[in-house]
Amino acid sequence: DARVTQTPRHKVTEMGQEVTMRCQPILGHNTVFWYRQTMMQGLELLAYFRNRAPLDDSGMPKDRFSAEMPDATLATLKIQPSEPRDSAVYFCASGLVTGGVTDTQYFGPGTRLTVL
Amino acid sequence: AQSVTQLDSHVSVSEGTPVLLRCNYSSSYSPSLFWYVQHPNKGLQLLLKYTSAATLVKGINGFEAEFKKSETSFHLTKPSAHMSDAAEYFCVVSDQNQKVTFGIGTKLQVIP
């Protein structure tokens, strides 16, 4: 049963530290999404990739956030420096786009980030 | 522009009674529509999807949704709520412009 995996599942860090979150999409999926979920803002799309190329990162604070796909089996989301307001659950999802339409997204379990 | 409106942020039902979670959408293209469920401290899971085939879509756990183009709606229903249905539900629209938009979510409470 193929699944999206995310590491770490939990991360507690201090303000100013660098945080790297990793995601392994389902093999064969050509699209990867990063979302952030908080009580106040709900679910927000941060960025997404198609065939490893960034298509849209308009939801991401550019000054401190960066997202990459170094290869087809790994997507990373980095925050440097981290701030308390970055505390949230970060979800990765992967899916298949055919004919220009995004089909089902398969979500990972999330990384719960706490910045003190 | 594409948008999704979930009309209720919270819905409370008694166990064994019907569930209705409302969703209206706006899209310039023929959309695909999805419902996802998120149980506490879990990731999102697909409940069902509409992709221009049958307008009445059946999903997992007894849920179904009907695509009504004239009303631009995709409401989620279940005949009889179970305690395990307590979760947050997200309506999602995706179109040929490759844009995906999530609704704000509806929290379903099931009262024993």
Side-chain angles (χ1 to χ4, degrees), chain B residues 55-67:
Chain B
T55 56
L56 182 62
V57 182
K58 293 187 185 301
I60 61 171
N61 301 334
F63 284 93
E64 61 181 41
E66 186 171 8
F67 173 69

Side-chain angles (χ1 to χ4, degrees), chain B residues 10-66:
Chain B
H10 290 83
V11 169
S12 185
V13 302
S14 297
E15 190 176 17
T17 64
V19 176
L20 170 64
L21 305 183
R22 298 181 293 167
C23 173
N24 285 93
Y25 70 92
S26 169
S27 176
S28 302
Y29 302 89
S30 297
S32 294
L33 293 155
F34 306 79
W35 277 99
Y36 287 84
V37 60
Q38 185 180 28
H39 287 95
N41 300 311
K42 300 284 187 185
L44 280 75
Q45 178 187 16
L46 179 73
L47 264 185
L48 50 80
K49 64 181 179 182
Y50 165 78
T51 53
S52 76
T55 56
L56 182 62
V57 182
K58 293 187 185 301
I60 61 171
N61 301 334
F63 284 93
E64 61 181 41
E66 186 171 8

Side-chain angles (χ1 to χ4, degrees), chain A residues 9 33 35 37 39 43 45 48 50 55-56 91 97 99-109 112, chain B residues 32 34 36 38 41-46 49 51 88 90 92 94-100 102 104 107:
Chain A
R9 294 292 312 277
F33 303 81
Y35 294 92
Q37 186 176 41
M39 290 291 291
L43 197 64
L45 177 65
Y48 74 95
R50 178 76 37 76
L55 276 198
D56 186 353
F91 288 103
V97 170
V101 178
T102 300
D103 202 348
T104 304
Q105 292 184 46
Y106 293 82
F107 282 77
R112 184 175 294 277
Chain B
S32 294
F34 306 79
Y36 287 84
Q38 185 180 28
N41 300 311
K42 300 284 187 185
L44 280 75
Q45 178 187 16
L46 179 73
K49 64 181 179 182
T51 53
E88 189 162 17
F90 294 89
V92 181
S94 173
D95 65 26
Q96 283 92 335
N97 203 29
Q98 302 181 17
K99 191 164 170 60
V100 179
F102 277 71
I104 61 167
K107 285 190 170 68

